[in-house]
């Protein structure tokens, strides 16, 4: 009798541990899944990396995991069909067909205002040291858009207003972290420059090289980079006033090494590919000229876009250009996928496995951001960052996150 009770007690403990383990696993999956998923209209919801997650109740009904989802907007995902994991919103849409570009292009941005990149002390005629900008509450990374109600779009425009102030207090409209505020700048007459100065350095434009990810050939809209263009001094996202996508040819690939990122180097051509109109956490966006759209799309392949839950670890490819102007496919391995992925450009970890690319570039290099990622015949994402400690590895963003910003 004593032995029987001991066996029952042991079984109960093991069963309790197993149940707790399952609920702990369910919590883990809940943290790894988003609040909403988009699936191809008329197709079943399948989560490639989590086949053990099944589609449970749908607004009080039960649907088999392999069945086509009804039009209900919310479903409960379950572990092995028994333990609820998460209630998610389902959006049924037809995935767009996009042209995979993988070509380098030149980026020329004019800021929406001027960005403060540095504050500096000013010595007055009387020998006093101060920083008028700091005294006005200005910080590095702030964007000044108006000075005395006059639009400021260049360094020279702001300098003219400050130097011509005669020491009069200037009203500035400033943006910081998405909020607008008013600052009052009182310039100081510099004993060094012999001019009225505000004690700050500003930048009004940015230029560089990136890779175009995909194109909607019907509208000419395109997405690139997969991450924002940030100011090199402040790290802040550059607000766009206007921008140009320019022709560029890669002239050199500086090979990346551990601790030293590589770089695509090239020269800007005289031709214009189109305009840039958006710079945000998911990349840079714009519209190609009709001629550029026709020329680029003629030499590139079209792919159906893959939604995040279709992406799985394993073999894939990137399409990129490391020599001249022609893109080429290279083999990679997707090592992990974070389906919960926020718009930070780090939704998956990839590793370059292609010997040709490793020999030529050492892996992922600067300028390769935006290179489309292809898997199972679909366009699923774009390269965004390189691991400085290991240039063979980097991050990628979901294509669907970038495609949200195409309006066509």
């Amino acid at each position: 009798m004593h032995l029987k009770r001991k066996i029952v007690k042991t079984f109960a403990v093991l069963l309790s541990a197993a149940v707790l383990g399952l609920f702990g696993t369910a919590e883990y999956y809940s943290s790894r899944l988003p609040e909403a998923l988009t699936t191809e209209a008329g197709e079943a919801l399948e989560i490639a990396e989590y086949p053990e997650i099944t589609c449970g109740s749908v607004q009080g009904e039960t649907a088999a995991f392999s069945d086509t989802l009804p039009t209900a907007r919310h479903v409960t995902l379950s572990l092995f069909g028994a333990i609820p994991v998460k209630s998610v919103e389902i959006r049924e849409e037809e995935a767009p067909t996009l042209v995979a570009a993988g070509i380098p292009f030149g980026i020329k941005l004019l800021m929406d205002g001027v960005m403060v990149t540095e504050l500096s002390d000013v010595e007055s005629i009387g020998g006093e040291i101060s920083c008028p900008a700091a005294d006005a509450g200005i910080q590095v990374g702030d964007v000044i858009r108006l000075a005395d109600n006059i639009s400021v779009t260049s360094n020279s425009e702001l300098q003219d207003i400050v130097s011509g102030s005669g020491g009069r207090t200037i009203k500035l409209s400033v943006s910081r972290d998405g909020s607008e505020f008013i600052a009052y700048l009182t310039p100081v007459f510099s004993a060094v420059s012999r001019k009225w100065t505000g004690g700050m350095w500003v930048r009004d434009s940015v230029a560089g090289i990136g890779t175009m990810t995909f194109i909607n050939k019907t509208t000419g809209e395109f997405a690139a980079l997969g991450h924002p263009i940030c100011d090199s001094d402040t790290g802040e996202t550059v607000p766009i006033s206007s921008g140009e996508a320019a022709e560029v040819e890669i002239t050199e690939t500086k090979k990346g090494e551990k601790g030293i990122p590589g770089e695509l180097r090239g020269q800007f051509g005289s031709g214009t590919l189109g305009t840039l109109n958006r710079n945000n956490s998911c990349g840079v966006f714009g519209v190609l000229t009709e001629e550029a759209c026709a020329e680029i799309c003629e030499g590139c392949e079209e792919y159906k876009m893959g939604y995040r839950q279709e992406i799985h670890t394993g073999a894939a490819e990137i399409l990129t250009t490391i020599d001249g102007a022609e893109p080429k496919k290279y083999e990679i391995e997707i090592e992990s996928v974070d389906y919960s992925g926020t718009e930070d450009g780090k939704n998956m970890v990839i590793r370059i496995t292609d010997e040709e690319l490793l020999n030529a570039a050492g892996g992922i290099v600067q300028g390769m951001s935006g290179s489309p990622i292809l898997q199972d015949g679909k366009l699923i994402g774009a390269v965004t960052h390189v691991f400085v400690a290991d240039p063979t590895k980097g991050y990628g963003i979901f294509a669907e996150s970038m495609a949200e910003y195409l309006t066509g």
Side-chain angles (χ1 to χ4, degrees):
M1 181 63 72
H2 177 72
L3 178 60
K4 184 177 180 180
R5 282 199 301 269
K6 188 175 182 180
I7 291 173
V8 171
K9 186 176 180 180
T10 301
F11 177 76
V13 170
L14 292 175
L15 181 60
S16 177
V19 171
L20 287 174
L22 286 173
F23 276 99
T25 302
E27 280 189 26
Y28 167 79
Y29 285 133
S30 178
S31 68
R32 303 291 290 180
L33 292 169
E35 300 298 324
L37 288 167
T38 304
T39 185
E40 185 76 19
E43 289 191 3
L45 172 65
E46 295 182 5
I47 304 176
E49 282 293 286
Y50 306 147
E52 60 273 28
I53 299 296
T54 63
C55 182
S57 61
V58 183
Q59 289 190 341
E61 300 176 15
T62 301
F65 185 58
S66 59
D67 291 344
T68 298
L69 281 172
T71 57
R73 292 185 59 81
H74 286 85
V75 301
T76 299
L77 301 180
S78 302
L79 182 60
F80 303 116
I83 300 176
V85 170
K86 192 169 193 173
S87 176
V88 299
E89 180 183 355
I90 299 297
R91 307 173 188 140
E92 290 193 355
E93 297 178 4
E94 183 178 353
T97 297
L98 303 165
V99 174
I103 62 169
F105 73 107
I107 299 167
K108 301 177 182 178
L109 296 182
L110 287 178
M111 295 187 185
D112 182 14
V114 295
M115 179 175 285
V116 179
T117 60
E118 185 180 344
L119 300 180
S120 59
D121 289 333
V122 181
E123 182 180 355
S124 70
I125 294 294
E128 296 180 354
I129 304 295
S130 65
C131 179
D135 292 341
I138 301 294
Q139 298 179 7
V140 170
D142 287 349
V143 176
I144 299 171
R145 292 194 166 91
L146 297 173
D148 281 342
N149 296 319
I150 299 172
S151 178
V152 179
T153 59
S154 70
N155 181 15
S156 60
E157 288 177 349
L158 180 61
Q159 293 296 340
D160 288 345
I161 293 172
V162 172
S163 62
S165 68
R168 173 183 52 81
T169 297
I170 301 168
K171 178 182 175 182
L172 302 178
S173 295
V174 187
S175 174
R176 179 188 299 161
D177 298 329
S179 299
E180 304 286 332
F181 66 95
I182 300 298
Y184 294 93
L185 175 74
T186 303
V188 170
F189 195 80
S190 170
V192 177
S193 68
R194 313 298 290 184
K195 295 180 180 179
W196 293 100
T197 182
M200 58 184 169
W201 297 89
V202 300
R203 178 174 290 130
D204 56 23
S205 61
V206 174
I209 293 176
T211 298
M212 195 174 296
T213 308
F214 53 73
I215 304 164
N216 179 333
K217 71 176 184 180
T218 302
T219 64
E221 293 177 290
F222 69 89
L225 267 65
H227 63 72
I229 295 175
C230 297
D231 183 82
S232 58
D233 293 315
T234 68
E236 297 291 327
T237 298
V238 174
I240 288 184
S241 170
S242 62
E244 177 188 342
E247 292 181 346
V248 73
E249 182 176 356
I250 301 302
T251 57
E252 179 188 2
T253 300
K254 180 185 176 184
K255 191 172 183 178
E257 301 175 11
K258 184 177 180 179
I260 306 175
E263 180 184 11
L264 294 181
R265 295 175 176 173
Q267 56 186 25
F268 281 49
S270 57
T272 297
L273 297 177
T275 58
L276 301 174
N277 53 34
R278 185 174 286 148
N279 176 37
N280 61 29
S281 60
C282 289
V284 176
F285 303 83
V287 182
L288 296 171
T289 65
E290 190 173 331
E291 181 181 358
C293 184
E295 184 177 344
I296 295 172
C297 291
E298 183 180 4
C300 298
E301 295 181 74
E302 291 184 77
Y303 294 86
K304 196 86 166 177
M305 187 191 77
Y307 291 113
R308 69 181 67 192
Q309 69 273 9
E310 300 176 58
I311 304 169
H312 59 85
T313 55
E317 295 175 309
I318 62 170
L319 182 66
T320 195
T321 306
I322 60 172
D323 184 20
E326 293 297 322
K328 185 176 178 180
K329 293 177 183 176
Y330 298 96
E331 295 176 352
I332 68 167
E333 189 87 4
I334 297 177
E335 294 195 336
S336 66
V337 185
D338 181 4
Y339 293 127
S340 68
T342 55
E343 294 183 350
D344 62 359
K346 298 178 180 180
N347 303 145
M348 51 186 136
V349 174
I350 65 172
R351 178 170 55 87
I352 306 298
T353 57
D354 195 289
E355 289 298 326
E356 181 182 351
L357 185 56
L358 290 172
N359 291 333
I364 301 168
V365 299
Q366 294 176 355
M368 202 180 283
S369 294
S371 300
I373 302 174
L374 310 170
Q375 187 180 58
D376 299 334
K378 292 188 175 183
L379 197 161
I380 62 166
V383 178
T384 57
H385 303 80
V386 60
F387 290 2
V388 176
D390 182 2
T392 67
K393 297 174 70 172
Y395 287 113
I397 187 174
F398 297 139
E400 68 173 286
S401 295
M402 299 177 71
E404 294 255 341
Y405 295 96
L406 298 184
T407 58

